[in-house]
Amino acid sequence: MELLVASAVGILTAAGIYLILRRRSFPVILGLSLITYAVNVFLFASGRLMTAAPPILNKYEEVAYTDPLPQALVLTAIVISFGMTAVVVMIALGAFLSSRDDRTALPAEPEGAGEDA
Amino acid sequence: MKLLRRLLPHPYLTLLLTLTWLLLVNGWSLNSLLFGFMLGVLIPFFTQPYWPNRPRLGKPLKIAEYILVVLMDIVQANIIVARIVLFKPNADRRPNWITIPLDLKTPEAITALAGTITMTPGTLSADISDAGHALLVHCLDAPNPDAVRDEIKQRYERRLMEIFE
Amino acid sequence: MSLFLIAALPFLGAVFPALLIRAGRNAAASAAGLTTFLAFTGLMLHIPAIFRGETVFAAVDWLPALGLNAHFFLDGLGFLFAAMILGIGLLIILYARFYLSREDPMGQFYSYLLLFQGAMVGIVLSDNILLLLVFWELTSLSSFLLIGYWKHLPEGRQGARMALAVTGSGGLAMIAGMLLLGHIAGSYDLSVILQNKEAIQSSHLYLPALILILIGAFTKSAQFPFHFWLPHAMAAPTPVSAYLHSATMVKAGLFLMARLWPVLAGTPEWFYIVATTGLVTMLLGAVIALFKDDLKALLAFSTVSHLGLITMLLGFGTKFAAVAAVFHIINHATFKAALFMTAGIVDHEAGTRDIKRLGGLRHLMPVTFTIGTVAALSMGGIPPLNGFLSKEMMLEEASHTLWNGSHLIVPALVTAAAVFSAAYSFRFIAHVFLGPKREDYPGHPHDPNTGMWIGPAFLVLLVVLIGLASAKIAGPMVATAASAVIGGEKLPYYSLKLWHGLTPALYMSIAAVIGGAVLLALHKPLARVWDAAPRPEAKVIFEGLIGAFTRLSQAVTGGLHNGALTRYSAVMVAFTVVIAYLAYRGGTLGAPTRALQQPGLLPVTGWFALVVATLFIVVKHRNRLLSLVLIGVVGLVVSMAFNYLSAPDLALTQISVEVVTIILMLLALNFMPKETPAETPVLTRMRDGAIAVVAGLGAGGLIYALLMRDFAFPTISDFHLANSYKGGGGTNVVNVILVDFRGYDTFGEIIVLGIAAMVIFALTEAVLGSRVRAYLLNREPDLPRAGDSHPLMMVVATRVMMPLALMVAAYIFFRGHNLPGGGFIAGLVAAIAIIMQYMASGFAWATERQRYPYHAIIGSGVLIAASTGMGAWFNGMPFLTSAFGYIHWPPLEEFEWATAALFDLGVFLAVVGAVLLALESLSRFAWQPGISSEHAMDINPAREDAAKTGTEG
Amino acid sequence: MASLFEFLVAAFLVMGGVFGIVGSYGLIKLNDPMSRLHAPTKATTLGVGGVLLASLLHAAVFEEHVSIHELMITLFLFLTAPITANFIAKVHIHRQETRETMPPAGEDDHWATHDKPEDEERRTAGRPDAAQ
Amino acid sequence: MMQHLLIAPVVLPALVAPFIIMVLRHHLDLQRIFSVASAVLLAGVTLALAAQAADGTVKVYELGDWPAPFGIVLVLDRLSGMMIVLTSLLALPVLLYAIGSGWDTRGSNFHALFQFQLMGIMGAFLTGDAFNLFVFFEVLLIASYGLMIHSGGTRRFQAGVQYVVFNLLGSTLFLFALGTLYSVTGTLNMADLAVKVSQIPAEDTALLRAGAVMLLLVFAIKAALLPLHFWLPSAYANAPMPVAALFAIMTKVGAYSILRMYTLVFGPEVAATAGLTENWLLPAALLTLIAGAVGVLGSNKIGRLAAFGAIASMGTLLIAVSLFTQTATAAALYYLVHSTLAAALLFLVADLVMERQGGWILPQLPMPQTGLISALFFAAAIALAGMPPLSGFLGKLLVLDATRGSELATWIWAVILTGSLITIIGMARAGSLLFWKGHGLPQQNTDTSAEPPQQNPAARPAQLPFVACFGLLAGLVALTVFAGPATRYAEATAAQLFQPQAYIATVLGEEAK
Amino acid sequence: MIENAAYFAFACFALAMLMNLWKIVTAPDIADRILALDTMFINAIALMVLYGLALGTEIFFEAAMIIAMLGFVSTVAYARFILRGNIIE
Ligand code: NA
Ligand code: NA
């Protein structure tokens, strides 16, 4: 199980970064989504992996619970990254609509002319 | 009375929602009933702008009958279709479009019919005509399209006419 | 008068001219003059003490942590310089009042001038070398302003920048040098440093400190090879040149060498560096001066030469040479300031400073001629003027100075310099004033009004008086100042008189005068040779260097920050991986302490789906819609994995967020290209792939290593598990953590969400308020569109689903404290229920039915959450302290209340508002006028029938 | 009695599994896009339905608490599946078919998906003030 | 109620912002009044808090009444006190400037975003919890995204994309780091982390170190350390300048976090994380300074020049920080305050220039009010270049003095002094071209490539921008004149940082024993 | 018996999911992919209910229900995108 989770994190990270290194804003946002999955799973897994032990207290019997804290952290992280994704999508759209170009590279500004003295 | 109508714009919906609540909380306690009813009143109150011109439903027994018929058909038809999928070569299958002229007028009724058609396997509501007087149905295997059309009109549309109009 | 006040007066005075200029030029000048005069008078009040050999102190701590303190002291050397600065300053203020034209902003001029004056006074009064540095750099800055005073002249701007670059860099070197010096001496106070000669000279830091300090001094005093800035500083108005470049700023370097002479001088290093530099500068400056046709350039190079002379004297390291240096400082200040003012008068009246266009002015400007001639003769070393006296002393000392074992080098070079010195001095007289009157002066030369010539006249009077009665007039001053230079030790034997007998110095002097006359006679042919001779043009080289460096900087900056986000990200990722790996390598990793869990069928299936979908995204990412579909797969699998791994809350959140995100991205994609072009070269892709794979290995390897080991310590979540029910009143520990144990995180989180929505809203406004609006209105869809935008079935289904979904949201909200769910997920579900209406019936239709502004929903959410948190204050508890209890109202069963639920309601509202505001804003991009909001569905047979019968619309 | 229920639960499970896989298999096997669209209804109805019934029964009999909220899932699926199918069908009609390749639309002119944007404009042009 | 003062810097803007959105959304004047009033009140609150911390006591606020390390705590010590005061004192003039220049009217929600921005910064400075630090980083970042693209425009959006994407990468790294640290130590509270890290078994050090260094890199991104600084120039240069001025404190959040975590948790004494930064942090800081200085010289627009000036100052600051000695830290703290004010001033001056002639350093338009603006530019330039008489010089001397003991002292000195020189040359070039050369230009505009001034000047109080600038300048002057007390506070702060036991004991209460 | 039946059902739905995945990867048209993803959502619901049954817990009910609701929304969104470009108009 650990291997599956670790390799999934690795593959999501790698794919995410590869896409983040593309030149257009859309694949970059896709990459950010993937790497967000990766980091959420990573953070979640920092509490170690347990099946069938949700941290919902059982009043009737003694059972094992998985670590609830990373789950709470990931929840916060998911929400935050949702907000961030929404904003980056919008800014990317704004950039595209204003320039009709979705390249993430900032074009060079025209040089100011004149004698440098 | 007017006030009651405003507060309870649609009693059926309130009933459905109260039942839904009990279904969700998985219990029948008085607390749940009251709370569910409260929500059942509140939510339609807040959402009624989104559902103007609600149709009047008639004859609860008819509704129950209809649901039973459809459920039976679903089981039956599923098996037929599973056989087609699993064993019938694609070449032997006769997929077909069927046009079903509609006698139903209200959107709710048409939707119920279209939904029924889709949920009973082997047929699928694909589209509606540009003025809403015909339904386009696709058949997985219908050597005789007219028979399918008649069956739909007979078995489902007729019943829905009784329920909705 | 307190030294503080003397040092502060010019700075205070600097404020007035700028303010008073509206009251007129005289008011500004008077204000400047008055403060200077006050400071000068204050200084003079110390004469008795100074001439008794006492030192006046004034100290207040400023930055004791560093040893930088406002410690001032006044001894002979400081007094001499302060007197020159303030005294000549007065004359310059007077002179400038008449020199500057009506167009020149005079208030600014006097402000700058006083700023500079204050900085100079500060330098010479500082007892703390760090304080001295402060003033030192201030002189660079204020002189920058003064040199660039005539903003419209490119030469002024260039000259100012060159001066600042050279003297500023020297100042920076000096900072290092001073810090070293203070470190060696254990204090930055001069009074302490000057007592530590042995410690300083034996320190291994002596040489670096010496070199660094000397760089500062040499740049300031325009010593070779830093001399080139001075002539270009002549672009300044002449009062500035007269002040800065004769008497004050360029003397600051000399002052510093004199000041530190007791502890730095006397070593071979000192001698060879300082004396040689001085000697070379002196000769070079004199030679160049002879061939300058610009009066001010001539004077500038002559200044360079004389500064070299004094530097050389200080470099000799003997007491006698020190006395001579002090004396020549005084003399040079007098005649050179007078000469600059003369040049200024000539320029002002004749309209040119070009010697080739001058000559014969003695007839037109007799007063100026007299002043200029006397001063120039003194500069040329002609008896009985003061320049002769100190030059004699210099020659005397030079005549027996050994350089690298040679008796000849110094005397010979010094004499050569003296020859050129005499020559350019004669030329100043001969080619400007003598000769026939010309017809082609650009202006109408005549003597200026008294205000302008009175200053130089006074100086020339001093020139003569010192020359004739030097022992009486200059003697005490020279003695006190020189004694301060040599560290209070006994003065050597010297006498300040015209006749010393037939000494080698006298022969050298005579040779100089004769040689000078000969050179002047040969000037024309020599100038031709000079002009033809190739030589480095310092200005060209400097400007070239600076220009090249600026262009290099532009290229480096532009190249490094080339705007390519891909490269920035690649560098960041690669750097992170490398640094993290190195850090990891520096520690140890123990053997696994946990057993590997065997995965079942379900996880393997999920893993496989995830991996395939992810890799397929990478392969197919250019098809944007497909990528989004695949992201849906990834989201689904991750959500299921959370469920499988005992995190139902996460699963719920993940899948809900997922859907909203996809809707958002689809909304955006509508306006964007549907395909990403293939534009990266294979090599780049391979590089990116390599970086990505390494980073992936890092992340995966890290979590694998972590997963295989237990926590090193018991985790804090044991506490959460133990106290969730007791202390938080809930059995869903994750939810209790979110709304209670770490409710503050959640508070921050909803604010993030709220801000995100606001940002999106603001951005929409900005975009739609720009020319993009027109584009959007005329935009043709890039894909063919189907009909029936609001299908009947969809509309009907969502009408039923909306109340159901809201019911589900309520359910998830209320059970969240004890079972999976909570305000956040409930908020998302509710938001999605409403979004379904938007998707089914259209933006216009749904918006029209929206009763509560989303901004207000967000705001109320945040306020409810914050108020719940603040409610605890009234119980005397900290922010966000929760309370809960149980209520029993028969016939109802007991039920629980918790303030956490109220907090969660805040979360719920913020989420609903934020999601909807974001999506609504985004949807507004596509809004077109003319889109109907009347009907929820495009096709509705009932409507048509109703229209026929006329019953409803 | 228990074994009967056990058998019933097992039977529902097997039925669910079979129909689930038939649905997804159909998706691969069927050779025309419209036919493929029929397959998921199997997974939706008897596939998930079987599992839900099994779960319901299992909870009631073996865990001794009545749990009927699984019906909510069914409710949602029954409500949504036709709409999903309808939309995907419209995608096919939009992308693969034209007015000419489709069967006649009864008394009407053509199918809604083939409404041209011009038609839309005609429809909205009549009431320009509706936007205000 | 006084004991709740510690949460006030977070709660106050968190209440004002939604109030502005809900109630005052269409009342600009009221928004301005509330925003300024809130900023003034915030300044008062932070000053009161700093006064409480000045005697060296550590104050802890247990949110939700949960004891550390289980709940989240706010911690007030000298450092956090100093940082919140600096933030609020920076915010006020910047806000006045934004109002006076009319920037707040050029887009929606400026005042609400501004308040949220303050809330995020305050929260980051006050928190004693590592994950909560992440949350407040995100609050301040997302507010900064909004402020950065405020009023829109193609280039601003394009730069915004870069800014957001790069920072999202940083946030992701933050989570990787936090996950790693939690996974090893089982805690998130910073004081508790300190205890756990000091006792970490040898077999866990490799993973701990990886987590610790990733955290450092996150902060280094915020602090614009080379080669993680790339986000800064175009973001700051293209942001509205008052916003960039406020951002002057954001890089300091990074520096603050480095100081906090690497004195409290991964301090110089901690064996497990020894040598984590030694080989690369200082060289990177040196390169940062050079890159910034070269950028100042190589800039052709004043906004970019200011941005590179900010980078250069971060380089100097990080040099001092990277030594992790008490004296160097004291110097760093003094320089931190200085560089915040100086950079902010330069950005505001840049806006004055851009408003009038578009901001090209090789000017195409003459500029009204040149005198006053050039004086302000001069002040800002010498402050940022570290020239006397302003505090930059003192800060530079302090840093130079404090780095004397380092093995790389020669390099440090050479780089700082060379960096100063390049900055001076760059500033002199820019100033002389902008103000001197620009002075002589003909009045009418023939070249349209310069951005025209954006809006009607009638609607705004014309003096306010200058009041704001002079306010910041006054801050610099005060920092210079009262350098003695200021450095004493910095030294006391550094001393407190390097003896974290009191902090830990106060936060953890009995747990510490 | 139930256990074996549950395993069988697990296997069926897992296999079904893999088939959906196969379809997503190989389908010639985007509509088929959306369809396959939608089916995947349904199979996921079944798996989740099954898993709850196997563990004897109801903890996964909400997730299954939400997926039923949201799978629909995302499918409609994809389809609307293809049909109209704009999913909210
Ligand atoms: Na069907
Ligand atoms: Na479906």
Side-chain angles (χ1 to χ4, degrees), chain A residues 9 13 20 25 28 32 35 38-40 42-43 46-48 67 69-70 73 76-77 80 83-84 87-88 91-92 94-95 98-99 104-117, chain E residues 131 134-135 138-139 141-142 145 149 153-155 157-162 164-165 168-169 172 175-176 178-180 182-184 188 234 238 300-301 304 360 362-364 429 432-433 437 451:
Chain A
V9 167
T13 306
I20 285 170
S25 54
V28 170
L32 284 172
I35 204 168
V39 77
N40 287 342
F42 184 99
L43 188 57
S46 71
R48 310 300 186 271
D67 189 342
L69 188 55
L73 304 185
T76 305
I80 287 176
M84 297 289 171
V87 167
V88 75
I91 300 181
S98 335
S99 64
T104 58
L106 206 57
E109 277 190 276
E111 290 288 324
E115 168 66 16
D116 182 8
Chain E
F131 190 81
F134 164 77
V135 171
E138 300 304 300
V139 173
L141 278 174
I142 196 150
Y145 302 156
I149 56 162
T154 305
R155 208 165 168 80
F157 284 144
Q158 289 170 331
V161 171
Q162 298 201 343
V164 181
V165 168
L168 285 183
L169 269 177
T172 308
L175 288 176
F176 274 117
L178 288 174
T180 308
Y182 177 77
S183 198
V184 174
L188 294 168
S234 55
N238 289 295
N300 53 9
K301 290 198 89 170
R304 215 167 146 78
W360 288 104
L362 292 172
Q364 280 120 19
R429 168 177 179 267
S432 68
L433 291 175
K437 186 169 190 198
E451 288 167 37

Side-chain angles (χ1 to χ4, degrees), chain D residues 44 80-81 84, chain F residues 38 42:
Chain D
T44 315
T80 58
T84 313
Chain F
D38 189 62
I42 293 164

Side-chain angles (χ1 to χ4, degrees), chain A residues 1-15 17-30 33-34 37 40-42 44-57 59 65-69 71-76 78-80 82-87 89-94 96-98 100 102-106 116-117, chain C residues 157-158 161 563 565-566 569-570 573 594 596-597 599 607 610-611 614 617-618 621 624 627 634-635 642 644-647 650 653-654 657-658 660-661 664-665 668-669 671-673 676-677 679-681 685 688-689 692 695-696 699-700 702-704 706-707 709-711 716-717 731-734 737-738 742 749 753 756 760 763-764 771-772 775 818 820 824 922 925:
Chain A
M1 188 85 80
E2 282 78 3
L3 261 175
L4 293 187
V5 170
S7 57
V9 167
I11 288 166
L12 283 170
T13 306
I17 287 178
Y18 180 79
L19 291 179
I20 285 170
L21 300 182
R22 299 305 88 212
R23 291 180 186 176
R24 306 277 172 156
S25 54
F26 198 86
V28 170
I29 293 170
L30 286 178
S33 300
L34 288 183
Y37 284 121
N40 287 342
V41 175
F42 184 99
F44 165 73
S46 71
R48 310 300 186 271
L49 307 179
M50 272 175 97
T51 53
I56 313 283
L57 298 179
K59 287 181 231 177
Y65 301 111
T66 188
D67 189 342
L69 188 55
Q71 294 192 15
L73 304 185
V74 173
L75 246 160
T76 305
I78 290 176
V79 178
I80 287 176
F82 164 68
M84 297 289 171
T85 308
V87 167
V89 166
M90 279 303 295
I91 300 181
L93 179 60
F96 172 76
L97 287 177
S98 335
R100 238 48 59 70
D102 63 348
R103 266 177 273 254
T104 58
L106 206 57
D116 182 8
Chain C
R157 301 196 292 265
Q158 284 172 341
R161 271 151 54 186
L565 177 63
T566 48
S569 306
V573 173
R594 292 171 66 94
L596 205 60
Q597 303 177 55
W607 179 87
L610 180 84
V611 171
T614 308
I617 291 177
V618 172
H621 73 88
R624 294 179 172 184
S627 309
V634 174
F642 282 145
Y644 185 77
L645 294 167
S646 316
L650 279 186
T653 313
Q654 179 70 70
V657 163
E658 167 77 28
V660 180
T661 309
L664 202 92
M665 291 174 68
L669 183 57
F671 300 100
M672 299 182 83
T676 304
E679 54 188 351
T680 27
R685 271 179 291 176
D688 296 344
L702 185 58
I703 193 62
Y704 183 73
L706 289 167
L707 283 173
R709 293 186 58 78
D710 282 307
F711 286 100
I716 54 172
S717 52
T731 53
N732 180 359
V733 187
V734 174
I737 292 177
L738 283 174
R742 300 186 68 89
E749 164 199 321
L753 214 51
I760 289 170
L763 202 146
T764 309
R771 58 192 162 74
V772 174
Y775 163 74
N818 291 313
F824 182 74
L922 194 40
F925 281 98

Side-chain angles (χ1 to χ4, degrees), chain C residues 165-188:
Chain C
V166 176
T167 60
S169 60
L172 290 166
M174 209 170 84
I175 290 176
M178 291 301 198
L179 285 173
L180 290 179
L181 184 64
H183 178 61
I184 305 170
S187 168
Y188 292 118

Side-chain angles (χ1 to χ4, degrees), chain B residues 117-124:
Chain B
I117 293 170
T118 301
M119 291 317 287
T120 48
T123 52
L124 187 139

Side-chain angles (χ1 to χ4, degrees), chain C residues 605 636 640, chain F residues 13-21 40 43-44 47:
Chain C
T605 310
L636 179 64
M640 286 180 75
Chain F
F13 282 105
L15 195 59
M17 267 190 105
L18 292 179
M19 286 173 168
N20 301 151
L21 186 68
M40 206 177 205
N43 288 327
L47 278 172

